Amino acid sequence: MENSEQQNPRLSRRTVLKWFASAAAVMQVGALESLNYVASAAEAGRPAAKGYGQDPDVSQYYNPGDFWPLTFTKDEKETTAALADVILPADQYGPAASTVRVPDFMDEWVSAPYPVQVADRAIIIPGLKWLAEESQKRFKKSFASLNDTQKRAICDDICWPADAKAEFKKAAAFFVKFRDVAAGAYYGTPEGWKAVGYVGNEALMSFDGPPKEVLDRLGVTQTVK
């Protein structure tokens, strides 16, 4: 029997970097945070980043993990998969987040050495710890072991930061960050594109333009026929 690594090998570096770029494009908030980081660093009179040395030698073969080790523990990975599936479950629009390897992506994300990912790690890892402790406190089980009703009971307390009670404010900030990264990953996959109706760069027999309701909402007129 194949072990788990053989059945579900680590994402290749090429896939990780492509997925990072795609997810960052989806996560408008993440992009803005990057700009804020650069701006605040410049205002403080210090370099925005230390740099990462030279680019990799493209003629050399690299194994997964040569650039950074994965850091999720087994419990963190299981909690991530369970929470991602609460936020992005399987439905008529597409498969669940765990099916398209969103937890693997998030492991790469929080393990990467870049400034945005390091900042997100400082929110996500403590948030996963809080989720594990809250699950034990309420139900005497790990979050991944809870049924859907129990998972939603916890998530309902932290999914809207503006409505969260004072004791849940920090967990609510974690939920927002986790949701943004998970959604950015999910909608960076072909399954995610399909879920929102994006067909990508495909040849079409005809092009009818945007739907009328969209044009009306934007107050513009279709001029290309």
Side-chain angles (χ1 to χ4, degrees), residues 51-72:
Y52 304 101
Q54 298 179 339
D55 290 338
D57 182 353
V58 296
S59 64
Q60 181 177 334
Y61 178 80
Y62 293 97
N63 291 308
D66 280 353
F67 288 88
W68 61 73
L70 297 180
T71 58
F72 265 168

Side-chain angles (χ1 to χ4, degrees), residues 13 24 32 61-62 73 83 88 92 94 117 119 121 127 133 161 179-180 192 196 210:
R13 176 171 171 76
L32 292 175
Y61 178 80
Y62 293 97
T73 65
L83 181 56
L88 297 158
Q92 68 271 32
Q117 283 73 21
R121 176 184 176 82
E133 293 174 347
R179 180 203 62 199
D180 288 352
V196 296

Side-chain angles (χ1 to χ4, degrees), residues 19 26 80-103 105-106 152 155 175 177-189 191-192 195-196:
W19 205 348
V26 175
T80 293
L83 181 56
D85 283 352
V86 170
I87 297 171
L88 297 158
D91 57 19
Q92 68 271 32
Y93 300 108
S98 61
T99 304
V100 296
R101 302 192 66 177
V102 167
F105 169 88
M106 296 194 69
R152 284 196 293 270
C155 291
F175 186 92
K177 175 58 65 180
F178 185 100
R179 180 203 62 199
D180 288 352
V181 175
Y186 187 86
Y187 293 111
T189 66
E191 291 84 355
V196 296

